[in-house]
Amino acid sequence: RNGIYPLMNFAVSRPHALPRVLSQPQEDPQKAKTPTPEPFDVETRKVVQMQCNMELNEDKSQWHLTLLLILEDKLHRQLSYDLLPTDNSKDLATELVHYGFIHEDDCEKLATFLESAFHKHRSQA
């Protein structure tokens, strides 16, 4: 008579009440001004091969960098970025380590590789 699921007739008729917090704790103004950076995963695999391609954008005002990294476990990681005039190879490599894209030991190797690619492509332009 109650259908295939008879226990549905015994559901709670009103929702459960959640306890309310009377007042929010005051935040320390020093902590509110400086956000804590989110933790990133550390890359444990090392880069075994690097390829780089740089092209000028359609309006010829900015370089577009495409970086292909092959890691120890044969994983291919392709990253692309529009270069700013203030960007340098060391900062880009450090940022890739910070965000967990490359192993810390590969930072110098990648910075040197990017620097040579920057000189090669910018001298051709």
Side-chain angles (χ1 to χ4, degrees):
R1 168 177 158 205
N2 290 328
I4 194 167
Y5 299 108
L7 294 179
M8 292 176 69
N9 291 336
F10 300 105
V12 178
S13 60
R14 61 184 176 105
H16 295 285
L18 296 175
R20 292 187 178 198
V21 177
L22 295 176
S23 65
Q24 294 291 333
Q26 293 292 328
E27 281 191 37
D28 184 13
Q30 188 71 348
K31 288 182 183 177
K33 291 180 184 176
T34 57
T36 55
E38 293 184 23
F40 294 99
D41 291 335
V42 176
E43 180 60 68
T44 57
R45 301 163 294 189
K46 292 193 178 184
V47 175
V48 294
Q49 187 177 354
M50 296 180 263
Q51 294 176 4
C52 175
N53 184 31
M54 288 179 61
E55 329 179 307
L56 279 171
N57 285 350
E58 292 175 3
D59 60 358
K60 306 236 186 256
S61 64
Q62 194 174 31
W63 286 95
H64 182 77
L65 169 70
T66 303
L67 185 62
L68 177 66
L69 305 173
I70 301 176
L71 304 178
E72 289 175 327
D73 62 351
K74 307 291 186 234
L75 178 107
H76 289 64
R77 180 168 283 161
Q78 182 174 339
L79 307 167
S80 55
Y81 179 71
D82 287 328
L83 290 170
L84 301 173
T86 57
D87 286 332
N88 65 53
S89 59
K90 179 67 176 165
D91 290 343
L92 290 175
T94 304
E95 193 171 327
L96 290 176
V97 169
H98 173 75
Y99 289 111
F101 287 112
I102 63 170
H103 192 279
E104 187 175 358
D105 294 346
D106 292 326
C107 186
E108 280 297 319
K109 182 170 63 170
L110 182 64
T112 305
F113 176 74
L114 286 174
E115 188 63 35
S116 66
F118 289 175
H119 285 300
K120 175 185 161 192
H121 287 90
R122 288 180 176 158
S123 66
Q124 291 175 355

mmCIF file of all heavy atoms in Angstrom, residues 85-104:
data_model
loop_
_atom_site.group_PDB
_atom_site.id
_atom_site.type_symbol
_atom_site.label_atom_id
_atom_site.label_comp_id
_atom_site.label_asym_id
_atom_site.label_seq_id
_atom_site.Cartn_x
_atom_site.Cartn_y
_atom_site.Cartn_z
ATOM 1 N N PRO A 85 57.807 42.653 -21.059
ATOM 2 C CA PRO A 85 59.144 43.207 -21.280
ATOM 3 C C PRO A 85 60.046 43.096 -20.047
ATOM 4 O O PRO A 85 61.266 43.048 -20.164
ATOM 5 C CB PRO A 85 58.880 44.675 -21.619
ATOM 6 C CG PRO A 85 57.454 44.727 -22.042
ATOM 7 C CD PRO A 85 56.753 43.612 -21.350
ATOM 8 N N THR A 86 59.461 43.012 -18.868
ATOM 9 C CA THR A 86 60.251 42.950 -17.635
ATOM 10 C C THR A 86 60.611 41.529 -17.223
ATOM 11 O O THR A 86 61.354 41.341 -16.257
ATOM 12 C CB THR A 86 59.470 43.608 -16.483
ATOM 13 O OG1 THR A 86 58.215 42.939 -16.346
ATOM 14 C CG2 THR A 86 59.255 45.080 -16.738
ATOM 15 N N ASP A 87 60.102 40.520 -17.918
ATOM 16 C CA ASP A 87 60.370 39.125 -17.549
ATOM 17 C C ASP A 87 61.806 38.746 -17.856
ATOM 18 O O ASP A 87 62.376 39.163 -18.870
ATOM 19 C CB ASP A 87 59.442 38.172 -18.309
ATOM 20 C CG ASP A 87 58.026 38.192 -17.786
ATOM 21 O OD1 ASP A 87 57.846 38.490 -16.586
ATOM 22 O OD2 ASP A 87 57.103 37.911 -18.565
ATOM 23 N N ASN A 88 62.379 37.932 -16.958
ATOM 24 C CA ASN A 88 63.703 37.375 -17.235
ATOM 25 C C ASN A 88 63.674 35.876 -16.951
ATOM 26 O O ASN A 88 62.776 35.367 -16.286
ATOM 27 C CB ASN A 88 64.815 38.096 -16.447
ATOM 28 C CG ASN A 88 64.685 37.907 -14.956
ATOM 29 O OD1 ASN A 88 64.599 36.787 -14.473
ATOM 30 N ND2 ASN A 88 64.674 39.005 -14.217
ATOM 31 N N SER A 89 64.655 35.176 -17.469
ATOM 32 C CA SER A 89 64.652 33.720 -17.422
ATOM 33 C C SER A 89 64.742 33.178 -16.000
ATOM 34 O O SER A 89 64.086 32.195 -15.661
ATOM 35 C CB SER A 89 65.798 33.174 -18.271
ATOM 36 O OG SER A 89 67.035 33.664 -17.795
ATOM 37 N N LYS A 90 65.534 33.801 -15.151
ATOM 38 C CA LYS A 90 65.700 33.334 -13.770
ATOM 39 C C LYS A 90 64.381 33.425 -12.996
ATOM 40 O O LYS A 90 63.998 32.489 -12.290
ATOM 41 C CB LYS A 90 66.806 34.156 -13.081
ATOM 42 C CG LYS A 90 67.054 33.786 -11.648
ATOM 43 C CD LYS A 90 67.635 32.401 -11.523
ATOM 44 C CE LYS A 90 67.948 32.109 -10.059
ATOM 45 N NZ LYS A 90 68.175 30.712 -9.814
ATOM 46 N N ASP A 91 63.675 34.556 -13.133
ATOM 47 C CA ASP A 91 62.398 34.723 -12.436
ATOM 48 C C ASP A 91 61.347 33.728 -12.934
ATOM 49 O O ASP A 91 60.566 33.194 -12.140
ATOM 50 C CB ASP A 91 61.871 36.147 -12.598
ATOM 51 C CG ASP A 91 62.702 37.167 -11.837
ATOM 52 O OD1 ASP A 91 63.473 36.768 -10.944
ATOM 53 O OD2 ASP A 91 62.578 38.366 -12.148
ATOM 54 N N LEU A 92 61.319 33.485 -14.245
ATOM 55 C CA LEU A 92 60.354 32.525 -14.799
ATOM 56 C C LEU A 92 60.623 31.111 -14.279
ATOM 57 O O LEU A 92 59.700 30.392 -13.893
ATOM 58 C CB LEU A 92 60.391 32.539 -16.319
ATOM 59 C CG LEU A 92 59.828 33.790 -16.990
ATOM 60 C CD1 LEU A 92 60.034 33.720 -18.495
ATOM 61 C CD2 LEU A 92 58.366 33.971 -16.668
ATOM 62 N N ALA A 93 61.901 30.714 -14.238
ATOM 63 C CA ALA A 93 62.253 29.386 -13.745
ATOM 64 C C ALA A 93 61.925 29.254 -12.258
ATOM 65 O O ALA A 93 61.398 28.230 -11.815
ATOM 66 C CB ALA A 93 63.732 29.108 -13.995
ATOM 67 N N THR A 94 62.198 30.292 -11.484
ATOM 68 C CA THR A 94 61.882 30.284 -10.053
ATOM 69 C C THR A 94 60.377 30.184 -9.830
ATOM 70 O O THR A 94 59.916 29.471 -8.935
ATOM 71 C CB THR A 94 62.431 31.555 -9.376
ATOM 72 O OG1 THR A 94 63.839 31.638 -9.624
ATOM 73 C CG2 THR A 94 62.187 31.546 -7.883
ATOM 74 N N GLU A 95 59.608 30.868 -10.661
ATOM 75 C CA GLU A 95 58.153 30.813 -10.550
ATOM 76 C C GLU A 95 57.631 29.413 -10.884
ATOM 77 O O GLU A 95 56.696 28.928 -10.242
ATOM 78 C CB GLU A 95 57.533 31.843 -11.493
ATOM 79 C CG GLU A 95 56.076 32.096 -11.249
ATOM 80 C CD GLU A 95 55.558 33.272 -12.058
ATOM 81 O OE1 GLU A 95 56.310 34.231 -12.297
ATOM 82 O OE2 GLU A 95 54.383 33.210 -12.450
ATOM 83 N N LEU A 96 58.232 28.746 -11.860
ATOM 84 C CA LEU A 96 57.819 27.385 -12.199
ATOM 85 C C LEU A 96 58.107 26.411 -11.058
ATOM 86 O O LEU A 96 57.330 25.495 -10.809
ATOM 87 C CB LEU A 96 58.500 26.921 -13.486
ATOM 88 C CG LEU A 96 58.030 27.612 -14.765
ATOM 89 C CD1 LEU A 96 58.840 27.137 -15.959
ATOM 90 C CD2 LEU A 96 56.553 27.391 -14.994
ATOM 91 N N VAL A 97 59.205 26.635 -10.337
ATOM 92 C CA VAL A 97 59.497 25.818 -9.157
ATOM 93 C C VAL A 97 58.468 26.112 -8.069
ATOM 94 O O VAL A 97 57.912 25.201 -7.450
ATOM 95 C CB VAL A 97 60.925 26.086 -8.634
ATOM 96 C CG1 VAL A 97 61.133 25.438 -7.270
ATOM 97 C CG2 VAL A 97 61.958 25.588 -9.618
ATOM 98 N N HIS A 98 58.177 27.389 -7.854
ATOM 99 C CA HIS A 98 57.234 27.801 -6.810
ATOM 100 C C HIS A 98 55.862 27.176 -7.005
ATOM 101 O O HIS A 98 55.226 26.725 -6.052
ATOM 102 C CB HIS A 98 57.126 29.328 -6.785
ATOM 103 C CG HIS A 98 56.065 29.840 -5.856
ATOM 104 N ND1 HIS A 98 56.222 29.843 -4.497
ATOM 105 C CD2 HIS A 98 54.827 30.327 -6.105
ATOM 106 C CE1 HIS A 98 55.121 30.332 -3.936
ATOM 107 N NE2 HIS A 98 54.262 30.635 -4.896
ATOM 108 N N TYR A 99 55.376 27.133 -8.238
ATOM 109 C CA TYR A 99 54.056 26.593 -8.523
ATOM 110 C C TYR A 99 54.058 25.078 -8.762
ATOM 111 O O TYR A 99 53.027 24.503 -9.089
ATOM 112 C CB TYR A 99 53.417 27.318 -9.712
ATOM 113 C CG TYR A 99 53.013 28.723 -9.353
ATOM 114 C CD1 TYR A 99 53.669 29.814 -9.885
ATOM 115 C CD2 TYR A 99 51.978 28.955 -8.451
ATOM 116 C CE1 TYR A 99 53.306 31.106 -9.541
ATOM 117 C CE2 TYR A 99 51.607 30.237 -8.101
ATOM 118 C CZ TYR A 99 52.275 31.307 -8.648
ATOM 119 O OH TYR A 99 51.906 32.576 -8.294
ATOM 120 N N GLY A 100 55.213 24.438 -8.610
ATOM 121 C CA GLY A 100 55.279 22.980 -8.694
ATOM 122 C C GLY A 100 55.300 22.411 -10.090
ATOM 123 O O GLY A 100 54.945 21.250 -10.280
ATOM 124 N N PHE A 101 55.724 23.195 -11.077
ATOM 125 C CA PHE A 101 55.790 22.682 -12.442
ATOM 126 C C PHE A 101 57.112 21.971 -12.729
ATOM 127 O O PHE A 101 57.164 21.097 -13.585
ATOM 128 C CB PHE A 101 55.579 23.802 -13.464
ATOM 129 C CG PHE A 101 54.161 24.267 -13.537
ATOM 130 C CD1 PHE A 101 53.808 25.531 -13.100
ATOM 131 C CD2 PHE A 101 53.167 23.454 -14.031
ATOM 132 C CE1 PHE A 101 52.494 25.971 -13.160
ATOM 133 C CE2 PHE A 101 51.850 23.872 -14.100
ATOM 134 C CZ PHE A 101 51.516 25.141 -13.654
ATOM 135 N N ILE A 102 58.188 22.377 -12.051
ATOM 136 C CA ILE A 102 59.486 21.733 -12.249
ATOM 137 C C ILE A 102 60.133 21.471 -10.891
ATOM 138 O O ILE A 102 59.790 22.095 -9.887
ATOM 139 C CB ILE A 102 60.445 22.572 -13.141
ATOM 140 C CG1 ILE A 102 60.785 23.910 -12.489
ATOM 141 C CG2 ILE A 102 59.894 22.740 -14.535
ATOM 142 C CD1 ILE A 102 61.884 24.674 -13.187
ATOM 143 N N HIS A 103 61.096 20.559 -10.879
ATOM 144 C CA HIS A 103 61.856 20.229 -9.672
ATOM 145 C C HIS A 103 62.824 21.372 -9.364
ATOM 146 O O HIS A 103 63.326 22.039 -10.274
ATOM 147 C CB HIS A 103 62.628 18.922 -9.915
ATOM 148 C CG HIS A 103 63.214 18.331 -8.683
ATOM 149 N ND1 HIS A 103 64.386 18.768 -8.146
ATOM 150 C CD2 HIS A 103 62.769 17.328 -7.890
ATOM 151 C CE1 HIS A 103 64.655 18.063 -7.065
ATOM 152 N NE2 HIS A 103 63.684 17.186 -6.884
ATOM 153 N N GLU A 104 63.084 21.571 -8.098
ATOM 154 C CA GLU A 104 63.969 22.669 -7.680
ATOM 155 C C GLU A 104 65.368 22.543 -8.281
ATOM 156 O O GLU A 104 66.002 23.541 -8.614
ATOM 157 C CB GLU A 104 64.050 22.687 -6.152
ATOM 158 C CG GLU A 104 64.789 23.872 -5.593
ATOM 159 C CD GLU A 104 64.746 23.912 -4.082
ATOM 160 O OE1 GLU A 104 64.106 23.046 -3.459
ATOM 161 O OE2 GLU A 104 65.365 24.827 -3.525
#
